[in-house]
């Protein structure tokens, strides 16, 4: 006998009824980070097959309420983080002020010739050397975004040797006296490219929020960083301040 009542032959799909009931359960019975019962257990409770149950869960995953973690189960997500983008935005510091633990891991770093788009935003000649630093930001041990930082090598010649992790903006300020000010932020919804989906722990067919930003040195207004950030769209709400 099913623990939950689903009504057959009423014109509403079973998976939709189950999704609605699970949404109520998540709101009243579970806390962020809790793991739902197994799909087998839930299918038995609703008296449906696993395919129907899985489709109901997919609805809530798409809505950003649940998350599948490979080999571990289905978990209740936190509400989206309300993250502000302003002239002096600093990822780690902003989240710390919200009482959220953020961590920055370097994925790769190297020096390479600037392609046209990077050169234009940094106001340097195409082909000039830039440092490329790729980082993964996690929030409470869950992946939040991948960032590609492009910085003129001529201005910070020893950056790759000296920078070993943590807040890059804080490092530039403490090591080079370079306080950054954001002058441009372009936000687009795109599908993840390359290894982004793997690093972010998300399907390849769900969008990320891509933010292209230019930061200048407050001392002289010269662009010193072009950053391309790819946020998991289900975990972030961007608040853009003038």
């Amino acid at each position: 006998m099913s623990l939950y009542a689903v009504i057959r032959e009423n014109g509403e799909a079973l998976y939709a009824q189950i999704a609605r009931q699970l949404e109520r359960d998540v709101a009243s019975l579970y806390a962020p980070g809790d793991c739902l019962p197994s799909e087998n257990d839930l299918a038995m409770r609703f008296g449906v097959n696993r395919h129907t149950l899985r489709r109901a869960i997919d609805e809530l995953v798409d809505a950003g309420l649940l998350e599948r973690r490979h080999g571990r189960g289905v978990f209740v997500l936190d509400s989206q983080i309300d993250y502000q983008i302003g002239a002096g935005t600093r990822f780690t510091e902003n989240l710390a002020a919200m009482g959220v633990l953020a961590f920055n891991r370097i994925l790769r770093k190297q020096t390479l010739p600037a392609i046209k788009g990077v050169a234009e935003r940094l106001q340097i000649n195409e082909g000039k050397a830039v440092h490329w630093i790729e980082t993964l930001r996690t929030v409470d041990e869950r992946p939040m975004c991948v960032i590609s930082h492009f910085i003129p090598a001529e201005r910070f010649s020893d950056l790759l040797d000296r920078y070993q992790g943590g807040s890059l903006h804080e490092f530039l300020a403490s090591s080079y006296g370079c306080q950054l000010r954001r002058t441009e932020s372009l936000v687009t919804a795109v599908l993840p490219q390359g290894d982004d989906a793997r690093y972010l722990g998300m399907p390849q067919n769900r969008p990320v929020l891509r933010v292209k930003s230019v930061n200048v040195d407050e001392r002289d207004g010269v662009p010193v960083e072009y950053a391309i950030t790819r946020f998991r769209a289900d975990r972030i709400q961007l608040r853009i301040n003038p």
Side-chain angles (χ1 to χ4, degrees):
M1 183 176 178
S2 173
L3 179 63
Y4 298 103
V6 291
I7 303 174
R8 302 174 188 272
E9 309 299 335
N10 74 337
E12 183 181 18
L14 295 181
Y15 79 87
Q17 296 180 53
I18 295 170
R20 189 171 63 252
Q21 179 61 55
L22 286 177
E23 184 175 1
R24 287 196 290 262
D25 288 353
V26 167
S28 60
L29 302 177
Y30 293 91
D34 284 351
C35 182
L36 264 60
S38 70
E39 289 185 352
N40 275 336
D41 287 345
L42 287 174
M44 290 179 61
R45 293 184 190 184
F46 283 102
V48 297
N49 59 45
R50 287 186 62 187
H51 174 77
T52 300
L53 189 281
R54 189 173 295 117
R55 186 171 179 186
I57 290 177
D58 285 343
E59 292 289 307
L60 301 186
V61 170
D62 290 341
L65 297 178
L66 301 177
E67 175 188 42
R68 280 196 175 88
R69 299 181 188 173
H70 183 68
R72 298 179 58 191
V74 178
F75 290 79
V76 178
L77 285 177
D78 297 324
S79 57
Q80 290 180 324
I81 292 176
D82 188 356
Y83 181 72
Q84 297 188 13
I85 295 180
T89 297
R90 287 187 177 182
F91 187 91
T92 305
E93 293 85 342
N94 284 7
L95 292 179
M98 297 167 59
V100 178
L101 179 62
F103 180 75
N104 183 24
R105 175 163 69 94
I106 297 174
L107 300 175
R108 57 179 70 90
K109 55 181 180 177
Q110 67 183 88
T111 302
L112 39 73
I115 62 174
K116 182 179 179 181
V118 172
E120 287 176 349
R121 285 172 173 83
L122 292 176
Q123 298 178 13
I124 60 177
N125 293 329
E126 186 175 350
K128 288 281 285 186
V130 292
H131 297 313
W132 170 44
I133 302 174
E134 192 100 322
T135 60
L136 171 67
R137 303 293 179 88
T138 60
V139 175
D140 291 336
E141 300 184 349
R142 294 164 50 211
M144 174 64 69
C145 64
V146 176
I147 309 177
S148 299
H149 309 265
F150 298 95
I151 298 174
E154 185 175 19
R155 191 167 179 126
F156 305 97
S157 59
D158 58 351
L159 175 63
L160 295 193
D161 292 329
R162 298 180 62 187
Y163 175 65
Q164 299 300 320
S167 170
L168 178 58
H169 289 189
E170 185 177 287
F171 178 81
L172 291 174
S174 62
S175 299
Y176 300 96
C178 178
Q179 294 283 351
L180 299 187
R181 175 170 52 85
R182 186 181 302 244
T183 61
E184 178 181 86
S185 294
L186 302 175
V187 183
T188 313
V190 298
L191 291 177
Q193 303 294 315
D195 294 329
D196 286 356
R198 178 167 62 86
Y199 285 128
L200 293 172
M202 60 180 291
Q204 194 80 38
N205 62 352
R206 291 189 185 149
V208 295
L209 284 180
R210 183 184 65 194
V211 181
K212 296 180 178 180
S213 56
V214 175
N215 293 297
V216 303
D217 189 330
E218 284 193 337
R219 295 171 296 189
D220 55 17
V222 174
V224 294
E225 182 197 32
Y226 172 49
I228 306 174
T229 305
R230 288 84 76 195
F231 288 99
R232 278 196 56 150
D234 59 341
R235 293 184 177 167
I236 199 82
Q237 173 177 278
L238 298 179
R239 183 184 298 273
I240 300 177
N241 296 327

PDB file of all heavy atoms in Angstrom, residues 29-36 66 74-77:
ATOM      1  N   LEU A  29       9.679  18.956   5.772  1.00  0.00           N
ATOM      2  CA  LEU A  29      10.288  17.846   6.508  1.00  0.00           C
ATOM      3  C   LEU A  29      11.805  17.767   6.407  1.00  0.00           C
ATOM      4  O   LEU A  29      12.434  17.053   7.194  1.00  0.00           O
ATOM      5  CB  LEU A  29       9.702  16.514   6.001  1.00  0.00           C
ATOM      6  CG  LEU A  29       8.181  16.360   6.098  1.00  0.00           C
ATOM      7  CD1 LEU A  29       7.752  15.032   5.482  1.00  0.00           C
ATOM      8  CD2 LEU A  29       7.725  16.461   7.553  1.00  0.00           C
ATOM      9  N   TYR A  30      12.388  18.481   5.454  1.00  0.00           N
ATOM     10  CA  TYR A  30      13.817  18.344   5.217  1.00  0.00           C
ATOM     11  C   TYR A  30      14.529  19.677   5.364  1.00  0.00           C
ATOM     12  O   TYR A  30      13.938  20.742   5.176  1.00  0.00           O
ATOM     13  CB  TYR A  30      14.077  17.800   3.805  1.00  0.00           C
ATOM     14  CG  TYR A  30      13.619  16.373   3.601  1.00  0.00           C
ATOM     15  CD1 TYR A  30      12.319  16.110   3.124  1.00  0.00           C
ATOM     16  CD2 TYR A  30      14.447  15.300   3.875  1.00  0.00           C
ATOM     17  CE1 TYR A  30      11.884  14.807   2.930  1.00  0.00           C
ATOM     18  CE2 TYR A  30      14.018  13.997   3.685  1.00  0.00           C
ATOM     19  CZ  TYR A  30      12.743  13.754   3.217  1.00  0.00           C
ATOM     20  OH  TYR A  30      12.309  12.469   3.028  1.00  0.00           O
ATOM     21  N   ALA A  31      15.811  19.574   5.679  1.00  0.00           N
ATOM     22  CA  ALA A  31      16.673  20.750   5.762  1.00  0.00           C
ATOM     23  C   ALA A  31      17.688  20.693   4.630  1.00  0.00           C
ATOM     24  O   ALA A  31      17.959  19.616   4.082  1.00  0.00           O
ATOM     25  CB  ALA A  31      17.396  20.784   7.115  1.00  0.00           C
ATOM     26  N   PRO A  32      18.271  21.838   4.246  1.00  0.00           N
ATOM     27  CA  PRO A  32      19.313  21.813   3.211  1.00  0.00           C
ATOM     28  C   PRO A  32      20.425  20.840   3.568  1.00  0.00           C
ATOM     29  O   PRO A  32      20.890  20.797   4.702  1.00  0.00           O
ATOM     30  CB  PRO A  32      19.830  23.262   3.199  1.00  0.00           C
ATOM     31  CG  PRO A  32      18.659  24.067   3.663  1.00  0.00           C
ATOM     32  CD  PRO A  32      17.976  23.219   4.686  1.00  0.00           C
ATOM     33  N   GLY A  33      20.815  20.023   2.590  1.00  0.00           N
ATOM     34  CA  GLY A  33      21.859  19.033   2.816  1.00  0.00           C
ATOM     35  C   GLY A  33      21.341  17.658   3.168  1.00  0.00           C
ATOM     36  O   GLY A  33      22.092  16.673   3.150  1.00  0.00           O
ATOM     37  N   ASP A  34      20.046  17.553   3.513  1.00  0.00           N
ATOM     38  CA  ASP A  34      19.461  16.244   3.836  1.00  0.00           C
ATOM     39  C   ASP A  34      19.370  15.387   2.581  1.00  0.00           C
ATOM     40  O   ASP A  34      19.148  15.896   1.478  1.00  0.00           O
ATOM     41  CB  ASP A  34      18.063  16.395   4.432  1.00  0.00           C
ATOM     42  CG  ASP A  34      18.082  16.852   5.877  1.00  0.00           C
ATOM     43  OD1 ASP A  34      19.173  16.880   6.466  1.00  0.00           O
ATOM     44  OD2 ASP A  34      17.007  17.191   6.408  1.00  0.00           O
ATOM     45  N   CYS A  35      19.518  14.092   2.775  1.00  0.00           N
ATOM     46  CA  CYS A  35      19.396  13.137   1.677  1.00  0.00           C
ATOM     47  C   CYS A  35      18.000  12.531   1.678  1.00  0.00           C
ATOM     48  O   CYS A  35      17.506  12.098   2.727  1.00  0.00           O
ATOM     49  CB  CYS A  35      20.445  12.038   1.814  1.00  0.00           C
ATOM     50  SG  CYS A  35      20.429  10.824   0.474  1.00  0.00           S
ATOM     51  N   LEU A  36      17.356  12.494   0.516  1.00  0.00           N
ATOM     52  CA  LEU A  36      16.042  11.874   0.396  1.00  0.00           C
ATOM     53  C   LEU A  36      16.167  10.352   0.477  1.00  0.00           C
ATOM     54  O   LEU A  36      17.242   9.805   0.241  1.00  0.00           O
ATOM     55  CB  LEU A  36      15.391  12.263  -0.934  1.00  0.00           C
ATOM     56  CG  LEU A  36      14.424  13.449  -0.919  1.00  0.00           C
ATOM     57  CD1 LEU A  36      15.123  14.702  -0.442  1.00  0.00           C
ATOM     58  CD2 LEU A  36      13.814  13.650  -2.292  1.00  0.00           C
ATOM     59  N   LEU A  66      16.481  20.146  -5.648  1.00  0.00           N
ATOM     60  CA  LEU A  66      17.203  18.920  -5.328  1.00  0.00           C
ATOM     61  C   LEU A  66      18.443  18.813  -6.204  1.00  0.00           C
ATOM     62  O   LEU A  66      18.543  19.452  -7.254  1.00  0.00           O
ATOM     63  CB  LEU A  66      16.318  17.689  -5.544  1.00  0.00           C
ATOM     64  CG  LEU A  66      15.015  17.593  -4.744  1.00  0.00           C
ATOM     65  CD1 LEU A  66      14.248  16.348  -5.160  1.00  0.00           C
ATOM     66  CD2 LEU A  66      15.286  17.584  -3.242  1.00  0.00           C
ATOM     67  N   VAL A  74      20.089  11.615  -3.669  1.00  0.00           N
ATOM     68  CA  VAL A  74      19.461  12.891  -4.015  1.00  0.00           C
ATOM     69  C   VAL A  74      19.399  13.744  -2.755  1.00  0.00           C
ATOM     70  O   VAL A  74      18.890  13.305  -1.720  1.00  0.00           O
ATOM     71  CB  VAL A  74      18.047  12.684  -4.590  1.00  0.00           C
ATOM     72  CG1 VAL A  74      17.388  14.021  -4.891  1.00  0.00           C
ATOM     73  CG2 VAL A  74      18.101  11.818  -5.847  1.00  0.00           C
ATOM     74  N   PHE A  75      19.897  14.988  -2.863  1.00  0.00           N
ATOM     75  CA  PHE A  75      20.017  15.848  -1.694  1.00  0.00           C
ATOM     76  C   PHE A  75      19.226  17.145  -1.881  1.00  0.00           C
ATOM     77  O   PHE A  75      19.042  17.631  -2.998  1.00  0.00           O
ATOM     78  CB  PHE A  75      21.491  16.191  -1.435  1.00  0.00           C
ATOM     79  CG  PHE A  75      22.307  15.029  -0.952  1.00  0.00           C
ATOM     80  CD1 PHE A  75      22.772  14.071  -1.844  1.00  0.00           C
ATOM     81  CD2 PHE A  75      22.588  14.883   0.394  1.00  0.00           C
ATOM     82  CE1 PHE A  75      23.519  12.996  -1.403  1.00  0.00           C
ATOM     83  CE2 PHE A  75      23.338  13.811   0.845  1.00  0.00           C
ATOM     84  CZ  PHE A  75      23.807  12.857  -0.048  1.00  0.00           C
ATOM     85  N   VAL A  76      18.790  17.686  -0.748  1.00  0.00           N
ATOM     86  CA  VAL A  76      18.074  18.953  -0.740  1.00  0.00           C
ATOM     87  C   VAL A  76      19.093  20.077  -0.842  1.00  0.00           C
ATOM     88  O   VAL A  76      20.076  20.111  -0.095  1.00  0.00           O
ATOM     89  CB  VAL A  76      17.241  19.114   0.542  1.00  0.00           C
ATOM     90  CG1 VAL A  76      16.540  20.467   0.562  1.00  0.00           C
ATOM     91  CG2 VAL A  76      16.227  17.982   0.665  1.00  0.00           C
ATOM     92  N   LEU A  77      18.861  21.001  -1.771  1.00  0.00           N
ATOM     93  CA  LEU A  77      19.778  22.117  -1.972  1.00  0.00           C
ATOM     94  C   LEU A  77      19.431  23.287  -1.065  1.00  0.00           C
ATOM     95  O   LEU A  77      18.288  23.460  -0.639  1.00  0.00           O
ATOM     96  CB  LEU A  77      19.719  22.601  -3.426  1.00  0.00           C
ATOM     97  CG  LEU A  77      20.420  21.724  -4.472  1.00  0.00           C
ATOM     98  CD1 LEU A  77      20.190  22.317  -5.853  1.00  0.00           C
ATOM     99  CD2 LEU A  77      21.905  21.613  -4.188  1.00  0.00           C
TER     100      LEU A  77
END
